[in-house]
Amino acid sequence: MLALNDHGMVDAGLSAPQALAGVFPGRVLVIACGALAREILALRKLNRWDHLELTCLPAKLHLHPELIPDAVARAIEDARPHYDRIFVAYADCGTGGLLAARCRELGVEMVAGPHCYSFFDGNAAFAARADAEMRAFFLTDFLVRQFDAFVWKPMGLDRHPELREMLFGHYERLIYLAQAQDARLDTEAARCARRLGLAYERRTTGYGDLATALATLSPEAVA
Amino acid sequence: MVEEDDDLILSELPDEELVPQMHDDLYDGLADEITEGVNILLERGWTPYDILTKALVEGMRIVGIDFRDGILFVPEVLLAANAMKAGMSILKPLLIETGAPRLGKMVIGTVKGDIHDIGKNLVSMMMEGAGFEIVDLGINNPVENYLEALERERADILGMSALLTTTMPYMKVVIDTMKEKGVRDDYIIMVGGAPLNEEFGRAIGADAYCRDAAVAVEMAKTLMARRHNLPA
């Protein structure tokens, strides 16, 4: 099993261990956002999806979504000679349809949906709740663990707490979409809500549509 | 920038040093210093319009360039915007009294289902600074809000903003409704927001996609000039 830590996923990503050293017939490479590494490895272990290899791009690309399509395209081109099939574990992720267009051009499938909040929650359910949850700020397991790196510091709240009202004034609650059952993350997510001055709510989602999407890559599904 | 100027007394600076200093203060998000600088220039007989354009708008233009180039980030831009807002609050009533060129009127708002307004507010402020009259509808606007405001205000420009991939398609709903009602060509339509791009702007039938506030101002000026040149 691959070793990983969230800090590495923020800045450096993860290389598939055997990638680029040979050709792997029958194997599927998942090119994922670093924010999904832990969840994809958990699904792989749980379902014994040994045919899956994982490579991750740095999660911090989300701070500049315009860079995501080129970064994913480069990873696809690099890996293409070595794998029969490649799957992109990103949703639209703020690229305004450009990532989907690039994946179509390259003939590679990706996860459906606007972002990970949506596919963890289930795209249909998330869309159905869109109006009711318009004023909700969402966190996933990864974002709870990396709250400072992805929210607090990039938004400048560590240096300028007075910006909180400008940044979060229209939000009313923080909804923690929990992939795993982890009381420590629940406590931490509640603390994040307090720091942002928002009401707190926890919703267990599990892996949602991510699991469904990865299941389509199994040899049984392909057959 | 700020460290070396700790002991600076703004009132002792001649105009040609005070204005660049105000650009620096705006860049550093120093609202109190901007307020002081604006008051000094007013006391020295500057017109409100000159203070607005030469000290504030020019300063924000520099901020905008550095934001676009990845030198400044959202928090710094927000602080600069707060500083400019402080200056504008002094100048706005004076501009109404003294008169200033009016380039056109814009109705602007974030689309239905979207509560994000940082980009919209920056565009509003820069457009106002450039001489456009702004009617800000705020966040979460259904198509009716836009249509009512455009007609009521006899506006020239409609500006729509969205931060979410899920809400940006609503811009097309607004434009399509305007087409159905036969009023689409009565207005210049500009759109913006983080997930948008040129292609999306074209696809939904907007006149312009504006990637930032500075581009929005230039685009609005160009499109207004083009509009005035059209035969009646």
Side-chain angles (χ1 to χ4, degrees):
Chain A
M1 181 53 63
L2 299 169
L4 79 102
N5 66 69
D6 282 336
H7 289 297
M9 290 303 103
V10 172
D11 292 315
L14 175 75
S15 295
Q18 303 95 338
L20 314 184
V23 177
F24 306 100
R27 314 224 7 116
V28 179
L29 179 68
V30 176
I31 297 173
C33 168
L36 303 176
R38 194 182 285 252
E39 287 71 25
I40 291 173
L41 290 176
L43 280 165
R44 181 180 189 263
K45 186 178 178 187
L46 185 72
N47 294 290
R48 301 184 178 196
W49 287 336
D50 297 332
H51 58 288
L52 293 188
E53 294 289 0
L54 177 64
T55 190
C56 290
L57 301 180
K60 70 176 179 188
L61 279 173
H62 277 85
L63 300 174
H64 301 280
E66 70 279 8
L67 303 178
I68 293 175
D70 282 349
V72 169
R74 272 196 303 275
I76 292 171
E77 296 295 3
D78 288 348
R80 205 191 279 280
H82 306 279
Y83 291 92
D84 287 343
R85 189 174 181 189
I86 295 172
F87 183 82
V88 170
Y90 273 88
D92 179 74
C93 298
T95 66
L98 295 182
L99 179 59
R102 188 65 70 85
C103 285
R104 266 196 306 276
E105 278 169 29
L106 294 169
V108 172
E109 295 167 87
M110 61 186 280
V111 184
H115 36 60
C116 61
Y117 317 130
S118 175
F119 67 64
F120 278 137
D121 205 10
N123 285 321
F126 191 87
R129 284 194 283 257
D131 282 347
E133 297 185 346
M134 181 173 56
R135 292 176 186 274
F137 182 72
F138 295 96
L139 294 181
T140 61
D141 288 4
F142 176 85
L143 287 171
V144 172
R145 286 192 295 266
Q146 293 299 320
F147 183 76
D148 280 336
F150 267 82
V151 180
W152 201 252
K153 287 179 186 167
M155 293 290 107
L157 292 166
D158 55 333
R159 308 178 302 283
H160 303 289
E162 72 274 18
L163 293 178
R164 197 195 64 81
E165 183 56 30
M166 279 179 92
L167 290 163
F168 289 92
H170 293 308
Y171 287 98
E172 291 170 350
R173 58 184 159 149
L174 183 153
I175 300 179
Y176 164 37
L177 303 172
Q179 284 71 65
Q181 297 293 346
D182 186 331
R184 282 173 308 176
L185 285 183
D186 188 19
T187 305
E188 186 54 32
R191 196 173 79 92
C192 296
R194 282 195 301 277
R195 291 168 80 188
L196 294 176
L198 302 176
Y200 177 61
E201 186 179 322
R202 181 187 187 279
R203 178 182 302 153
T204 301
T205 66
Y207 302 112
D209 291 349
L210 178 65
T212 316
L214 294 181
T216 65
L217 306 175
S218 71
E220 299 78 31
V222 172
Chain B
M1 276 186 197
V2 74
E3 298 84 356
E4 65 201 39
D5 301 330
D6 280 350
D7 305 337
L8 215 54
I9 297 170
L10 294 178
S11 59
E12 291 178 356
L13 295 178
D15 290 1
E16 62 274 18
E17 289 178 27
L18 177 58
V19 171
Q21 182 58 44
M22 287 175 71
H23 297 164
D24 285 355
D25 290 343
L26 207 61
Y27 195 97
D28 292 328
L30 304 176
D32 291 346
E33 283 75 359
I34 289 298
T35 301
E36 189 185 346
V38 166
N39 284 325
I40 292 168
L41 289 176
L42 283 170
E43 282 163 20
R44 291 181 187 175
W46 278 52
T47 65
Y49 181 69
D50 270 355
I51 300 172
L52 176 68
T53 52
K54 292 175 183 165
L56 301 188
V57 172
E58 176 56 18
M60 277 306 281
R61 195 185 65 81
I62 298 165
V63 169
I65 291 169
D66 280 5
F67 177 64
R68 187 191 63 203
D69 293 345
I71 297 165
L72 289 181
F73 298 96
V74 169
E76 289 78 26
V77 174
L78 291 182
L79 291 169
N82 269 347
M84 175 152 174
K85 208 167 157 187
M88 288 277 278
S89 69
I90 302 168
L91 294 176
K92 218 167 160 180
L94 302 175
L95 284 163
I96 294 166
E97 274 173 33
T98 56
R102 304 309 308 178
L103 300 184
K105 194 174 203 179
M106 181 188 212
V107 164
I108 189 169
T110 304
V111 297
K112 185 169 182 274
D114 203 320
I115 61 166
H116 301 92
D117 61 358
I118 289 172
K120 170 187 71 64
N121 293 344
L122 284 171
V123 170
S124 298
M125 199 170 63
M126 289 298 280
M127 290 285 289
E128 202 164 20
F132 287 89
E133 193 177 340
I134 297 296
V135 179
D136 189 341
L137 303 180
I139 57 172
N140 187 28
N141 284 288
V143 60
E144 297 79 19
N145 289 14
Y146 292 114
L147 295 180
E148 281 166 25
L150 286 169
E151 192 178 346
R152 183 185 67 237
E153 301 291 340
R154 303 170 68 85
D156 304 292
I157 303 172
L158 168 62
M160 289 188 281
S161 170
L163 185 77
L164 305 175
T165 301
T166 46
T167 56
M168 65 188 218
Y170 194 78
M171 294 174 174
K172 185 170 187 311
V173 174
V174 176
I175 295 175
D176 286 349
T177 308
M178 292 172 75
K179 283 180 187 165
E180 281 164 26
K181 293 187 177 297
V183 298
R184 162 64 186 91
D185 293 335
D186 296 347
Y187 306 99
I188 293 164
I189 301 180
M190 308 201 316
V191 296
L196 277 69
N197 51 59
E198 292 274 358
E199 197 183 330
F200 175 80
R202 267 196 305 274
I204 63 169
D207 293 304
Y209 154 72
C210 307
R211 77 171 171 217
D212 59 35
V215 170
V217 168
E218 290 314 309
M219 197 61 85
K221 285 181 184 170
T222 304
L223 292 172
M224 282 300 290
R226 203 178 290 166
R227 197 172 190 222
H228 288 309
N229 292 335
L230 286 176

